[in-house]
Amino acid sequence: GAGVSQSPSNKVTEKGKDVELRCDPISGHTALYWYRQSLGQGLEFLIYFQGNSAPDKSGLPSDRFSAERTGGSVSTLTIQRTQQEDSAVYLCASSPTGTAYEQYFGPGTRLTVT
Amino acid sequence: AQKITQTQPGMFVQEKEAVTLDCTYDTSDPSYGLFWYKQPSSGEMIFLIYQGSYDQQNATEGRYSLNFQKARKSANLVISASQLGDSAMYFCAMREKPSGFGNEKLTFGTGTRLTIIP
């Protein structure tokens, strides 16, 4: 079956603009995670959804970052007033149960803020 | 403080040799899990192997095995008979379960770039 998909695969934006990143999880997966990977770094947890609710938003780096999930499926990560330090690869993962063992990752969106 | 430490930023290994990638961790939670992921140049994170803190035996998955030393808080990945296709970034990660939540999130190390030499 289809894996986790993310769009766009690459995004170049000017500093100060807003961007939206999309994640389509594996069908039926109730849990969805967003991570950020800066150049040469490991993954940094951003936010977690169980269904449409986000019980853990602890990783969002600032109030410029927000995320939503609708219909228990697609999720959108929005970054407002982008800064150069937001440049990174944003990875989405989904899980059927919310158990870390079963996280399946998408290919990521590479965001470049100029 | 770093919860996952990978001290080898890069390694070069001859094809067919075994390689050990180091990972140490820090947690006070008695229940935790340790993962290794492979990230090829395509960018996708590929799950390799998992070790639970209560597992009695070291995890193995094909050519991958995890050398789990709980007292030393280390969880090194061993790849036997390395292949050219093993060239990638390798990340160690730890599962934590924050109190009050049902979810479990992963904390990642900074990774080791493994290059297999023909």
Side-chain angles (χ1 to χ4, degrees), chain A residues 105, chain B residues 36-40 42 44-49:
Chain A
F105 283 81
Chain B
W36 278 92
Y37 280 84
K38 173 183 178 181
Q39 187 178 43
S42 61
E44 197 163 344
M45 296 291 283
I46 302 169
F47 167 76
L48 296 178
I49 196 166

Side-chain angles (χ1 to χ4, degrees), chain A residues 33 37 42-43 48 55 58 100-101, chain B residues 35 39 50 91 101 103-104 109:
Chain A
Y33 299 76
Q37 186 176 25
L43 272 67
Y48 156 83
S58 62
Y101 182 80
Chain B
F35 301 76
Q39 187 178 43
Y50 169 81
F91 291 98
F101 296 109
N103 62 297
E104 301 178 331

Side-chain angles (χ1 to χ4, degrees), chain A residues 26-57:
Chain A
I26 294 172
S27 178
H29 281 197
T30 58
L32 187 148
Y33 299 76
W34 282 99
Y35 294 89
R36 177 171 71 174
Q37 186 176 25
S38 301
L39 185 64
Q41 300 296 313
L43 272 67
E44 172 191 11
F45 169 81
L46 296 178
I47 190 170
Y48 156 83
F49 287 92
Q50 182 65 260
N52 290 338
S53 64
D56 190 352
K57 301 180 182 179

Side-chain angles (χ1 to χ4, degrees), chain A residues 72-94:
Chain A
S73 180
V74 172
S75 177
T76 302
L77 177 69
T78 301
I79 309 173
Q80 295 178 310
R81 305 180 302 281
T82 52
Q83 303 294 313
Q84 287 186 332
E85 59 263 28
D86 298 335
S87 296
V89 175
Y90 290 81
L91 285 158
C92 174
S94 72

